[in-house]
């Protein structure tokens, strides 16, 4: 398996532009997580999906952020409009999902480094 | 929200020495996990310990869990320069939907 795939790996954009980050989870995993990592705030969970359904989006900073998972093999995180304070590394992770036998182990993608000028 | 608090925030040792990192958490857990992050990379799962376990080993890694004190420690024995990375603990509470709550991490530097 190729692991969790994220694209793009780097994104530089100007304030006010729309940014779309993409993630392909590991085949067979039914939970998907979006994280943001900055020096100031560390690793923050933004939103997670189970079986393509958003379960908890309490970490999404504001309405400028939205995430979708149209099918089991694809998810997007969109920022519109982007602001300089959104600059961070965004990680996608997948796992086998929440159940009684769920281990909780998550597999992370390489991340997208976003810079908003 | 961050639950795990790691200690120390940074640790610098010589190759061959042991490295010990500690993690404290606040709520009940089903398991606790440790992850490693090399600079510029995603996190990699190292080891998982369940709430009914007290100690677990994996190669040069040893993890302990004390649920009465809500704390865990990660010991890396005979460290190598390649162990240089940030190490994060993360807790799982199935009542919270199985999401991981990460600590702030310990930055380990192993000097050759």
């Amino acid at each position: 398996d190729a692991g969790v795939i994220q694209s793009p790996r780097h994104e530089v954009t100007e304030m006010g532009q729309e940014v779309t980050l993409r993630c392909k989870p590991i085949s067979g995993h039914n939970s998907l997580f979006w994280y943001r990592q900055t020096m100031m705030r560390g690793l923050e969970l933004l939103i997670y999906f189970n079986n393509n359904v958003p379960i908890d989006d309490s970490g999404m900073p504001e309405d400028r952020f939205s995430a979708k998972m149209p099918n089991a093999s694809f998810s997007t995180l969109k920022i519109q409009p982007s602001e300089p304070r959104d600059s961070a590394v965004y990680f996608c992770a997948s796992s086998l999902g929440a159940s009684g036998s769920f281990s909780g182990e998550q597999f992370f993608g390489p991340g997208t480094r976003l810079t908003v000028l | 929200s961050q639950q795990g608090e790691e200690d120390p925030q940074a640790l610098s040792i010589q190759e061959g020495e042991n490295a010990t990192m500690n993690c404290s958490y606040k709520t009940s857990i089903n398991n606790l996990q440790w992850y490693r992050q090399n600079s510029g990379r995603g996190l990699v799962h190292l080891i998982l310990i369940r709430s009914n376990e007290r100690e677990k080993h994996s190669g040069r890694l040893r993890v302990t869990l004390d649920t009465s004190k809500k704390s865990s420690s990660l010991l890396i024995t005979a460290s190598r320069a390649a162990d240089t990375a940030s190490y994060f603990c993360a807790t799982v509470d199935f009542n919270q939907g199985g999401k991981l709550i990460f600590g702030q991490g310990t930055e380990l530097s192993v000097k050759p």
Side-chain angles (χ1 to χ4, degrees), chain B residues 45-80:
Chain B
H45 181 266
L46 293 176
I47 194 166
L48 178 153
I49 186 165
R50 292 185 167 77
S51 59
N52 61 353
E53 298 175 313
R54 292 297 167 258
E55 188 170 312
K56 204 161 183 182
H57 297 254
S58 176
R60 294 184 296 111
L61 304 180
R62 175 178 155 239
V63 170
T64 62
L65 178 64
D66 187 336
T67 53
S68 66
K69 294 181 180 178
K70 290 186 165 57
S71 68
S72 173
S73 68
L74 172 68
L75 169 66
I76 304 174
T77 60
S79 64
R80 306 165 181 168

Side-chain angles (χ1 to χ4, degrees), chain B:
Chain B
S1 61
Q2 302 292 333
Q3 159 150 261
E5 296 289 334
E6 271 119 323
D7 163 49
Q9 290 189 338
L11 179 61
S12 182
I13 60 174
Q14 293 294 131
E15 209 166 27
E17 293 180 341
N18 295 341
T20 300
M21 290 160 270
N22 303 296
C23 168
S24 60
Y25 57 92
K26 298 173 184 172
T27 64
S28 64
I29 63 170
N30 292 95
N31 68 61
L32 185 144
Q33 304 176 33
W34 286 89
Y35 286 78
R36 183 185 74 208
Q37 184 180 31
N38 289 86
S39 181
R41 301 284 194 89
L43 280 73
V44 175
H45 181 266
L46 293 176
I47 194 166
L48 178 153
I49 186 165
R50 292 185 167 77
S51 59
N52 61 353
E53 298 175 313
R54 292 297 167 258
E55 188 170 312
K56 204 161 183 182
H57 297 254
S58 176
R60 294 184 296 111
L61 304 180
R62 175 178 155 239
V63 170
T64 62
L65 178 64
D66 187 336
T67 53
S68 66
K69 294 181 180 178
K70 290 186 165 57
S71 68
S72 173
S73 68
L74 172 68
L75 169 66
I76 304 174
T77 60
S79 64
R80 306 165 181 168
D83 294 329
T84 295
S86 292
Y87 291 82
F88 295 86
C89 71
T91 55
V92 176
D93 179 359
F94 292 161
N95 291 326
Q96 296 293 321
K99 64 184 181 183
L100 289 177
I101 307 296
F102 282 90
Q104 294 291 340
T106 292
E107 198 171 316
L108 174 65
S109 174
V110 182
K111 298 184 184 339

Side-chain angles (χ1 to χ4, degrees), chain A residues 55-76:
Chain A
I55 301 300
D56 185 344
D57 65 354
S58 58
M60 296 286 262
E62 47 197 276
D63 292 344
R64 297 184 297 106
F65 286 68
S66 62
K68 293 182 180 178
M69 192 164 185
N71 56 62
S73 59
F74 183 65
S75 177
T76 59

Side-chain angles (χ1 to χ4, degrees), chain A residues 30-48:
Chain A
N30 58 0
S31 285
L32 183 140
F33 305 79
W34 282 101
Y35 293 90
R36 178 172 68 178
Q37 187 177 38
T38 61
M39 290 292 290
M40 291 291 292
R41 294 187 297 269
L43 195 63
E44 302 173 279
L45 176 66
L46 300 177
I47 185 171
Y48 77 99

